[in-house]
Amino acid sequence: MPRLLIVAHAPSPNTQRLCEAAARGARHPDIEQVEVVVRPPLEAGPEDVWACDAILLGTTENLGYMSGALKDFFDRSYYPVLEEKQGLPCALYVRAGHDGTGTRRAVESIVKGLRWKWVQAPLILHGEWQEGFVDQVEELGMAMAAGLESGIL
């Protein structure tokens, strides 16, 4: 069974809602043949990446950059998975208080080095909190899982 790994930094109630939405979308009742694993970045590592067939990353924008927790995940996982996981389908959502540009650029640079494959442009949830952010992330999780189940990813 294909496995979707969700690695999301969720330091606040709203970002926790986003992580839960991603998992809820990926576990939609119509998607029966995908295993969904959710890990905070400080608990995720190379073994989780080796075991997955696609990865959904979630982070906050911190001082114009990704969260330190997500950066730590990349620091610990980059070289161990570099050769074996090239072409891994990935997506990203960023909860950005500003514009998310620096965060997006930083993650895109790392993903390019890993030679992972974007399944869509990063989802930047910027500005003041909007309830619609939850729906957007849920749809992203559902799309990733449906893509895995159908063999598109």
Side-chain angles (χ1 to χ4, degrees):
M1 181 179 305
R3 178 181 291 176
L4 173 62
L5 174 62
I6 299 173
V7 178
H9 182 59
S12 70
N14 283 339
T15 53
Q16 183 61 41
R17 289 177 63 202
L18 295 177
C19 180
E20 291 166 358
R24 185 172 52 253
R27 293 178 175 133
H28 189 279
D30 291 342
I31 302 169
E32 299 174 346
Q33 296 300 313
V34 174
E35 179 184 2
V36 179
V37 176
V38 181
R39 297 264 191 275
L42 295 175
E43 295 177 17
E47 61 283 347
D48 296 300
V49 179
W50 289 323
C52 78
D53 299 290
I55 188 168
L56 174 54
L57 304 164
T59 187
T60 51
E61 175 186 57
N62 293 3
L63 304 170
Y65 197 70
M66 74 183 88
S67 70
L70 188 62
K71 177 65 167 69
D72 176 76
F73 163 74
F74 281 131
D75 287 345
R76 290 179 293 103
S77 302
Y78 189 92
Y79 288 108
V81 305
L82 180 60
E83 295 302 320
E84 189 174 328
K85 295 306 283 191
Q86 291 181 19
L88 182 70
C90 70
L92 167 70
Y93 69 86
V94 177
R95 174 60 191 113
H98 298 293
D99 67 3
T101 303
T103 306
R104 177 183 179 159
R105 208 175 8 231
V107 175
E108 285 177 334
S109 175
I110 293 168
V111 165
K112 181 178 181 180
L114 287 165
R115 297 181 191 96
W116 291 356
K117 178 182 71 175
W118 290 106
V119 299
Q120 74 168 48
L123 175 61
I124 309 298
L125 310 164
H126 61 84
E128 295 294 318
W129 175 261
Q130 300 172 37
E131 286 300 314
F133 292 165
V134 174
D135 294 334
Q136 291 176 59
V137 173
E138 185 171 346
E139 288 174 13
L140 177 58
M142 189 178 348
M144 292 283 295
L148 271 178
E149 185 176 59
S150 68
I152 294 171
L153 302 181

PDB file of all heavy atoms in Angstrom, residues 42-75:
ATOM      1  N   LEU A  42      10.511  17.417  14.108  1.00  0.00           N
ATOM      2  CA  LEU A  42      11.551  17.015  15.056  1.00  0.00           C
ATOM      3  C   LEU A  42      11.512  15.524  15.368  1.00  0.00           C
ATOM      4  O   LEU A  42      12.467  14.981  15.925  1.00  0.00           O
ATOM      5  CB  LEU A  42      11.455  17.838  16.342  1.00  0.00           C
ATOM      6  CG  LEU A  42      11.747  19.329  16.164  1.00  0.00           C
ATOM      7  CD1 LEU A  42      11.505  20.084  17.478  1.00  0.00           C
ATOM      8  CD2 LEU A  42      13.166  19.576  15.667  1.00  0.00           C
ATOM      9  N   GLU A  43      10.425  14.844  14.992  1.00  0.00           N
ATOM     10  CA  GLU A  43      10.306  13.399  15.203  1.00  0.00           C
ATOM     11  C   GLU A  43      10.486  12.608  13.915  1.00  0.00           C
ATOM     12  O   GLU A  43      10.642  11.396  13.948  1.00  0.00           O
ATOM     13  CB  GLU A  43       8.951  13.074  15.831  1.00  0.00           C
ATOM     14  CG  GLU A  43       8.789  13.639  17.225  1.00  0.00           C
ATOM     15  CD  GLU A  43       7.412  13.371  17.816  1.00  0.00           C
ATOM     16  OE1 GLU A  43       6.682  12.483  17.310  1.00  0.00           O
ATOM     17  OE2 GLU A  43       7.057  14.069  18.784  1.00  0.00           O
ATOM     18  N   ALA A  44      10.415  13.281  12.784  1.00  0.00           N
ATOM     19  CA  ALA A  44      10.563  12.606  11.485  1.00  0.00           C
ATOM     20  C   ALA A  44      12.038  12.525  11.115  1.00  0.00           C
ATOM     21  O   ALA A  44      12.838  13.367  11.524  1.00  0.00           O
ATOM     22  CB  ALA A  44       9.801  13.368  10.412  1.00  0.00           C
ATOM     23  N   GLY A  45      12.375  11.514  10.346  1.00  0.00           N
ATOM     24  CA  GLY A  45      13.766  11.363   9.929  1.00  0.00           C
ATOM     25  C   GLY A  45      13.886  10.563   8.654  1.00  0.00           C
ATOM     26  O   GLY A  45      12.882  10.252   7.997  1.00  0.00           O
ATOM     27  N   PRO A  46      15.106  10.212   8.302  1.00  0.00           N
ATOM     28  CA  PRO A  46      15.345   9.489   7.046  1.00  0.00           C
ATOM     29  C   PRO A  46      14.534   8.206   6.918  1.00  0.00           C
ATOM     30  O   PRO A  46      14.057   7.890   5.829  1.00  0.00           O
ATOM     31  CB  PRO A  46      16.841   9.182   7.077  1.00  0.00           C
ATOM     32  CG  PRO A  46      17.428  10.086   8.084  1.00  0.00           C
ATOM     33  CD  PRO A  46      16.344  10.453   9.046  1.00  0.00           C
ATOM     34  N   GLU A  47      14.366   7.494   8.025  1.00  0.00           N
ATOM     35  CA  GLU A  47      13.622   6.235   7.956  1.00  0.00           C
ATOM     36  C   GLU A  47      12.179   6.468   7.507  1.00  0.00           C
ATOM     37  O   GLU A  47      11.614   5.649   6.783  1.00  0.00           O
ATOM     38  CB  GLU A  47      13.658   5.490   9.300  1.00  0.00           C
ATOM     39  CG  GLU A  47      13.056   6.239  10.465  1.00  0.00           C
ATOM     40  CD  GLU A  47      13.926   7.353  11.058  1.00  0.00           C
ATOM     41  OE1 GLU A  47      15.134   7.447  10.751  1.00  0.00           O
ATOM     42  OE2 GLU A  47      13.374   8.156  11.823  1.00  0.00           O
ATOM     43  N   ASP A  48      11.593   7.600   7.888  1.00  0.00           N
ATOM     44  CA  ASP A  48      10.235   7.919   7.446  1.00  0.00           C
ATOM     45  C   ASP A  48      10.212   8.232   5.950  1.00  0.00           C
ATOM     46  O   ASP A  48       9.282   7.851   5.250  1.00  0.00           O
ATOM     47  CB  ASP A  48       9.683   9.117   8.233  1.00  0.00           C
ATOM     48  CG  ASP A  48       9.532   8.815   9.714  1.00  0.00           C
ATOM     49  OD1 ASP A  48       8.773   7.887  10.044  1.00  0.00           O
ATOM     50  OD2 ASP A  48      10.182   9.490  10.529  1.00  0.00           O
ATOM     51  N   VAL A  49      11.219   8.937   5.478  1.00  0.00           N
ATOM     52  CA  VAL A  49      11.300   9.276   4.054  1.00  0.00           C
ATOM     53  C   VAL A  49      11.536   8.011   3.233  1.00  0.00           C
ATOM     54  O   VAL A  49      10.902   7.813   2.189  1.00  0.00           O
ATOM     55  CB  VAL A  49      12.389  10.338   3.793  1.00  0.00           C
ATOM     56  CG1 VAL A  49      12.479  10.661   2.302  1.00  0.00           C
ATOM     57  CG2 VAL A  49      12.108  11.612   4.594  1.00  0.00           C
ATOM     58  N   TRP A  50      12.427   7.145   3.684  1.00  0.00           N
ATOM     59  CA  TRP A  50      12.673   5.898   2.954  1.00  0.00           C
ATOM     60  C   TRP A  50      11.396   5.080   2.807  1.00  0.00           C
ATOM     61  O   TRP A  50      11.203   4.406   1.793  1.00  0.00           O
ATOM     62  CB  TRP A  50      13.718   5.044   3.663  1.00  0.00           C
ATOM     63  CG  TRP A  50      15.110   5.576   3.601  1.00  0.00           C
ATOM     64  CD1 TRP A  50      15.711   6.223   2.556  1.00  0.00           C
ATOM     65  CD2 TRP A  50      16.076   5.508   4.638  1.00  0.00           C
ATOM     66  NE1 TRP A  50      16.995   6.569   2.886  1.00  0.00           N
ATOM     67  CE2 TRP A  50      17.250   6.139   4.164  1.00  0.00           C
ATOM     68  CE3 TRP A  50      16.081   4.993   5.921  1.00  0.00           C
ATOM     69  CZ2 TRP A  50      18.407   6.251   4.921  1.00  0.00           C
ATOM     70  CZ3 TRP A  50      17.230   5.100   6.680  1.00  0.00           C
ATOM     71  CH2 TRP A  50      18.385   5.718   6.182  1.00  0.00           C
ATOM     72  N   ALA A  51      10.528   5.132   3.822  1.00  0.00           N
ATOM     73  CA  ALA A  51       9.331   4.294   3.838  1.00  0.00           C
ATOM     74  C   ALA A  51       8.136   4.909   3.112  1.00  0.00           C
ATOM     75  O   ALA A  51       7.097   4.264   3.001  1.00  0.00           O
ATOM     76  CB  ALA A  51       8.940   3.985   5.290  1.00  0.00           C
ATOM     77  N   CYS A  52       8.262   6.132   2.613  1.00  0.00           N
ATOM     78  CA  CYS A  52       7.092   6.780   1.999  1.00  0.00           C
ATOM     79  C   CYS A  52       7.187   6.799   0.471  1.00  0.00           C
ATOM     80  O   CYS A  52       8.256   6.628  -0.099  1.00  0.00           O
ATOM     81  CB  CYS A  52       6.901   8.197   2.547  1.00  0.00           C
ATOM     82  SG  CYS A  52       7.994   9.449   1.864  1.00  0.00           S
ATOM     83  N   ASP A  53       6.023   7.033  -0.133  1.00  0.00           N
ATOM     84  CA  ASP A  53       5.931   7.116  -1.593  1.00  0.00           C
ATOM     85  C   ASP A  53       5.642   8.532  -2.070  1.00  0.00           C
ATOM     86  O   ASP A  53       5.696   8.812  -3.265  1.00  0.00           O
ATOM     87  CB  ASP A  53       4.839   6.173  -2.089  1.00  0.00           C
ATOM     88  CG  ASP A  53       5.166   4.739  -1.714  1.00  0.00           C
ATOM     89  OD1 ASP A  53       6.110   4.180  -2.291  1.00  0.00           O
ATOM     90  OD2 ASP A  53       4.498   4.195  -0.806  1.00  0.00           O
ATOM     91  N   ALA A  54       5.317   9.419  -1.134  1.00  0.00           N
ATOM     92  CA  ALA A  54       5.119  10.848  -1.403  1.00  0.00           C
ATOM     93  C   ALA A  54       5.192  11.562  -0.058  1.00  0.00           C
ATOM     94  O   ALA A  54       4.963  10.947   0.993  1.00  0.00           O
ATOM     95  CB  ALA A  54       3.773  11.116  -2.076  1.00  0.00           C
ATOM     96  N   ILE A  55       5.520  12.859  -0.104  1.00  0.00           N
ATOM     97  CA  ILE A  55       5.657  13.622   1.131  1.00  0.00           C
ATOM     98  C   ILE A  55       4.967  14.974   0.995  1.00  0.00           C
ATOM     99  O   ILE A  55       5.082  15.629  -0.043  1.00  0.00           O
ATOM    100  CB  ILE A  55       7.151  13.786   1.519  1.00  0.00           C
ATOM    101  CG1 ILE A  55       7.304  14.418   2.906  1.00  0.00           C
ATOM    102  CG2 ILE A  55       7.925  14.556   0.465  1.00  0.00           C
ATOM    103  CD1 ILE A  55       8.728  14.334   3.459  1.00  0.00           C
ATOM    104  N   LEU A  56       4.240  15.336   2.032  1.00  0.00           N
ATOM    105  CA  LEU A  56       3.591  16.640   2.124  1.00  0.00           C
ATOM    106  C   LEU A  56       4.242  17.376   3.288  1.00  0.00           C
ATOM    107  O   LEU A  56       4.222  16.888   4.421  1.00  0.00           O
ATOM    108  CB  LEU A  56       2.088  16.485   2.347  1.00  0.00           C
ATOM    109  CG  LEU A  56       1.276  17.747   2.614  1.00  0.00           C
ATOM    110  CD1 LEU A  56       1.477  18.796   1.528  1.00  0.00           C
ATOM    111  CD2 LEU A  56      -0.195  17.404   2.767  1.00  0.00           C
ATOM    112  N   LEU A  57       4.833  18.513   3.000  1.00  0.00           N
ATOM    113  CA  LEU A  57       5.529  19.311   3.994  1.00  0.00           C
ATOM    114  C   LEU A  57       4.667  20.499   4.399  1.00  0.00           C
ATOM    115  O   LEU A  57       4.026  21.119   3.549  1.00  0.00           O
ATOM    116  CB  LEU A  57       6.853  19.827   3.412  1.00  0.00           C
ATOM    117  CG  LEU A  57       7.805  18.766   2.865  1.00  0.00           C
ATOM    118  CD1 LEU A  57       8.867  19.401   1.977  1.00  0.00           C
ATOM    119  CD2 LEU A  57       8.432  17.980   4.005  1.00  0.00           C
ATOM    120  N   GLY A  58       4.683  20.824   5.678  1.00  0.00           N
ATOM    121  CA  GLY A  58       3.973  21.992   6.168  1.00  0.00           C
ATOM    122  C   GLY A  58       4.868  22.766   7.115  1.00  0.00           C
ATOM    123  O   GLY A  58       5.559  22.176   7.948  1.00  0.00           O
ATOM    124  N   THR A  59       4.880  24.085   6.969  1.00  0.00           N
ATOM    125  CA  THR A  59       5.718  24.897   7.838  1.00  0.00           C
ATOM    126  C   THR A  59       5.108  26.271   8.047  1.00  0.00           C
ATOM    127  O   THR A  59       4.274  26.723   7.264  1.00  0.00           O
ATOM    128  CB  THR A  59       7.147  25.045   7.272  1.00  0.00           C
ATOM    129  OG1 THR A  59       7.976  25.722   8.231  1.00  0.00           O
ATOM    130  CG2 THR A  59       7.167  25.808   5.962  1.00  0.00           C
ATOM    131  N   THR A  60       5.562  26.905   9.094  1.00  0.00           N
ATOM    132  CA  THR A  60       5.262  28.305   9.315  1.00  0.00           C
ATOM    133  C   THR A  60       6.367  29.131   8.673  1.00  0.00           C
ATOM    134  O   THR A  60       7.454  28.620   8.396  1.00  0.00           O
ATOM    135  CB  THR A  60       5.210  28.605  10.826  1.00  0.00           C
ATOM    136  OG1 THR A  60       6.413  28.106  11.434  1.00  0.00           O
ATOM    137  CG2 THR A  60       4.009  27.961  11.484  1.00  0.00           C
ATOM    138  N   GLU A  61       6.073  30.380   8.447  1.00  0.00           N
ATOM    139  CA  GLU A  61       7.087  31.335   7.994  1.00  0.00           C
ATOM    140  C   GLU A  61       7.662  31.964   9.263  1.00  0.00           C
ATOM    141  O   GLU A  61       6.948  32.607  10.023  1.00  0.00           O
ATOM    142  CB  GLU A  61       6.437  32.406   7.123  1.00  0.00           C
ATOM    143  CG  GLU A  61       7.384  33.508   6.711  1.00  0.00           C
ATOM    144  CD  GLU A  61       6.658  34.618   5.978  1.00  0.00           C
ATOM    145  OE1 GLU A  61       5.692  35.190   6.548  1.00  0.00           O
ATOM    146  OE2 GLU A  61       7.033  34.898   4.838  1.00  0.00           O
ATOM    147  N   ASN A  62       8.934  31.747   9.494  1.00  0.00           N
ATOM    148  CA  ASN A  62       9.604  32.276  10.676  1.00  0.00           C
ATOM    149  C   ASN A  62      10.731  33.193  10.241  1.00  0.00           C
ATOM    150  O   ASN A  62      11.727  32.712   9.685  1.00  0.00           O
ATOM    151  CB  ASN A  62      10.169  31.144  11.542  1.00  0.00           C
ATOM    152  CG  ASN A  62       9.090  30.287  12.169  1.00  0.00           C
ATOM    153  OD1 ASN A  62       7.907  30.487  11.930  1.00  0.00           O
ATOM    154  ND2 ASN A  62       9.490  29.338  12.977  1.00  0.00           N
ATOM    155  N   LEU A  63      10.553  34.477  10.472  1.00  0.00           N
ATOM    156  CA  LEU A  63      11.564  35.462  10.087  1.00  0.00           C
ATOM    157  C   LEU A  63      11.932  35.343   8.614  1.00  0.00           C
ATOM    158  O   LEU A  63      13.089  35.429   8.229  1.00  0.00           O
ATOM    159  CB  LEU A  63      12.813  35.329  10.969  1.00  0.00           C
ATOM    160  CG  LEU A  63      12.568  35.442  12.476  1.00  0.00           C
ATOM    161  CD1 LEU A  63      13.818  35.064  13.252  1.00  0.00           C
ATOM    162  CD2 LEU A  63      12.084  36.833  12.843  1.00  0.00           C
ATOM    163  N   GLY A  64      10.916  35.108   7.779  1.00  0.00           N
ATOM    164  CA  GLY A  64      11.132  35.006   6.341  1.00  0.00           C
ATOM    165  C   GLY A  64      11.752  33.705   5.898  1.00  0.00           C
ATOM    166  O   GLY A  64      12.264  33.602   4.777  1.00  0.00           O
ATOM    167  N   TYR A  65      11.703  32.678   6.743  1.00  0.00           N
ATOM    168  CA  TYR A  65      12.336  31.392   6.440  1.00  0.00           C
ATOM    169  C   TYR A  65      11.424  30.272   6.935  1.00  0.00           C
ATOM    170  O   TYR A  65      10.439  30.520   7.635  1.00  0.00           O
ATOM    171  CB  TYR A  65      13.703  31.324   7.137  1.00  0.00           C
ATOM    172  CG  TYR A  65      14.639  30.260   6.620  1.00  0.00           C
ATOM    173  CD1 TYR A  65      15.206  30.375   5.355  1.00  0.00           C
ATOM    174  CD2 TYR A  65      14.948  29.152   7.388  1.00  0.00           C
ATOM    175  CE1 TYR A  65      16.071  29.391   4.876  1.00  0.00           C
ATOM    176  CE2 TYR A  65      15.807  28.169   6.914  1.00  0.00           C
ATOM    177  CZ  TYR A  65      16.363  28.298   5.668  1.00  0.00           C
ATOM    178  OH  TYR A  65      17.214  27.337   5.185  1.00  0.00           O
ATOM    179  N   MET A  66      11.742  29.028   6.598  1.00  0.00           N
ATOM    180  CA  MET A  66      10.985  27.894   7.116  1.00  0.00           C
ATOM    181  C   MET A  66      11.227  27.770   8.617  1.00  0.00           C
ATOM    182  O   MET A  66      12.174  28.344   9.157  1.00  0.00           O
ATOM    183  CB  MET A  66      11.387  26.607   6.397  1.00  0.00           C
ATOM    184  CG  MET A  66      12.749  26.065   6.803  1.00  0.00           C
ATOM    185  SD  MET A  66      13.228  24.596   5.887  1.00  0.00           S
ATOM    186  CE  MET A  66      14.038  25.358   4.480  1.00  0.00           C
ATOM    187  N   SER A  67      10.385  27.013   9.286  1.00  0.00           N
ATOM    188  CA  SER A  67      10.579  26.793  10.712  1.00  0.00           C
ATOM    189  C   SER A  67      11.909  26.091  10.968  1.00  0.00           C
ATOM    190  O   SER A  67      12.392  25.317  10.132  1.00  0.00           O
ATOM    191  CB  SER A  67       9.433  25.941  11.275  1.00  0.00           C
ATOM    192  OG  SER A  67       9.520  24.612  10.794  1.00  0.00           O
ATOM    193  N   GLY A  68      12.482  26.355  12.107  1.00  0.00           N
ATOM    194  CA  GLY A  68      13.716  25.677  12.487  1.00  0.00           C
ATOM    195  C   GLY A  68      13.516  24.175  12.574  1.00  0.00           C
ATOM    196  O   GLY A  68      14.421  23.396  12.273  1.00  0.00           O
ATOM    197  N   ALA A  69      12.309  23.760  12.970  1.00  0.00           N
ATOM    198  CA  ALA A  69      12.015  22.333  13.069  1.00  0.00           C
ATOM    199  C   ALA A  69      12.069  21.663  11.696  1.00  0.00           C
ATOM    200  O   ALA A  69      12.634  20.570  11.548  1.00  0.00           O
ATOM    201  CB  ALA A  69      10.652  22.119  13.719  1.00  0.00           C
ATOM    202  N   LEU A  70      11.495  22.293  10.671  1.00  0.00           N
ATOM    203  CA  LEU A  70      11.549  21.702   9.330  1.00  0.00           C
ATOM    204  C   LEU A  70      12.984  21.714   8.806  1.00  0.00           C
ATOM    205  O   LEU A  70      13.433  20.749   8.186  1.00  0.00           O
ATOM    206  CB  LEU A  70      10.610  22.414   8.358  1.00  0.00           C
ATOM    207  CG  LEU A  70      10.480  21.734   6.999  1.00  0.00           C
ATOM    208  CD1 LEU A  70       9.881  20.327   7.122  1.00  0.00           C
ATOM    209  CD2 LEU A  70       9.641  22.571   6.047  1.00  0.00           C
ATOM    210  N   LYS A  71      13.709  22.782   9.072  1.00  0.00           N
ATOM    211  CA  LYS A  71      15.118  22.845   8.657  1.00  0.00           C
ATOM    212  C   LYS A  71      15.911  21.723   9.316  1.00  0.00           C
ATOM    213  O   LYS A  71      16.744  21.069   8.678  1.00  0.00           O
ATOM    214  CB  LYS A  71      15.719  24.215   9.005  1.00  0.00           C
ATOM    215  CG  LYS A  71      17.193  24.362   8.670  1.00  0.00           C
ATOM    216  CD  LYS A  71      17.460  24.290   7.190  1.00  0.00           C
ATOM    217  CE  LYS A  71      18.850  24.740   6.793  1.00  0.00           C
ATOM    218  NZ  LYS A  71      19.926  23.879   7.213  1.00  0.00           N
ATOM    219  N   ASP A  72      15.637  21.458  10.602  1.00  0.00           N
ATOM    220  CA  ASP A  72      16.291  20.358  11.309  1.00  0.00           C
ATOM    221  C   ASP A  72      15.980  19.016  10.639  1.00  0.00           C
ATOM    222  O   ASP A  72      16.868  18.181  10.458  1.00  0.00           O
ATOM    223  CB  ASP A  72      15.847  20.343  12.771  1.00  0.00           C
ATOM    224  CG  ASP A  72      16.420  19.178  13.538  1.00  0.00           C
ATOM    225  OD1 ASP A  72      17.617  19.226  13.895  1.00  0.00           O
ATOM    226  OD2 ASP A  72      15.676  18.193  13.771  1.00  0.00           O
ATOM    227  N   PHE A  73      14.716  18.818  10.251  1.00  0.00           N
ATOM    228  CA  PHE A  73      14.343  17.593   9.537  1.00  0.00           C
ATOM    229  C   PHE A  73      15.173  17.442   8.273  1.00  0.00           C
ATOM    230  O   PHE A  73      15.718  16.362   8.002  1.00  0.00           O
ATOM    231  CB  PHE A  73      12.845  17.624   9.205  1.00  0.00           C
ATOM    232  CG  PHE A  73      12.431  16.633   8.148  1.00  0.00           C
ATOM    233  CD1 PHE A  73      12.349  15.278   8.439  1.00  0.00           C
ATOM    234  CD2 PHE A  73      12.128  17.050   6.865  1.00  0.00           C
ATOM    235  CE1 PHE A  73      11.976  14.362   7.463  1.00  0.00           C
ATOM    236  CE2 PHE A  73      11.753  16.158   5.882  1.00  0.00           C
ATOM    237  CZ  PHE A  73      11.677  14.800   6.179  1.00  0.00           C
ATOM    238  N   PHE A  74      15.282  18.516   7.496  1.00  0.00           N
ATOM    239  CA  PHE A  74      16.086  18.458   6.275  1.00  0.00           C
ATOM    240  C   PHE A  74      17.559  18.215   6.595  1.00  0.00           C
ATOM    241  O   PHE A  74      18.234  17.433   5.909  1.00  0.00           O
ATOM    242  CB  PHE A  74      15.936  19.742   5.461  1.00  0.00           C
ATOM    243  CG  PHE A  74      14.670  19.817   4.648  1.00  0.00           C
ATOM    244  CD1 PHE A  74      13.873  20.948   4.708  1.00  0.00           C
ATOM    245  CD2 PHE A  74      14.282  18.784   3.809  1.00  0.00           C
ATOM    246  CE1 PHE A  74      12.721  21.044   3.942  1.00  0.00           C
ATOM    247  CE2 PHE A  74      13.124  18.865   3.045  1.00  0.00           C
ATOM    248  CZ  PHE A  74      12.341  19.995   3.111  1.00  0.00           C
ATOM    249  N   ASP A  75      18.081  18.872   7.624  1.00  0.00           N
ATOM    250  CA  ASP A  75      19.492  18.686   7.995  1.00  0.00           C
ATOM    251  C   ASP A  75      19.804  17.230   8.324  1.00  0.00           C
ATOM    252  O   ASP A  75      20.851  16.715   7.948  1.00  0.00           O
ATOM    253  CB  ASP A  75      19.857  19.562   9.200  1.00  0.00           C
ATOM    254  CG  ASP A  75      19.974  21.032   8.867  1.00  0.00           C
ATOM    255  OD1 ASP A  75      20.057  21.386   7.666  1.00  0.00           O
ATOM    256  OD2 ASP A  75      19.982  21.850   9.819  1.00  0.00           O
TER     257      ASP A  75
END
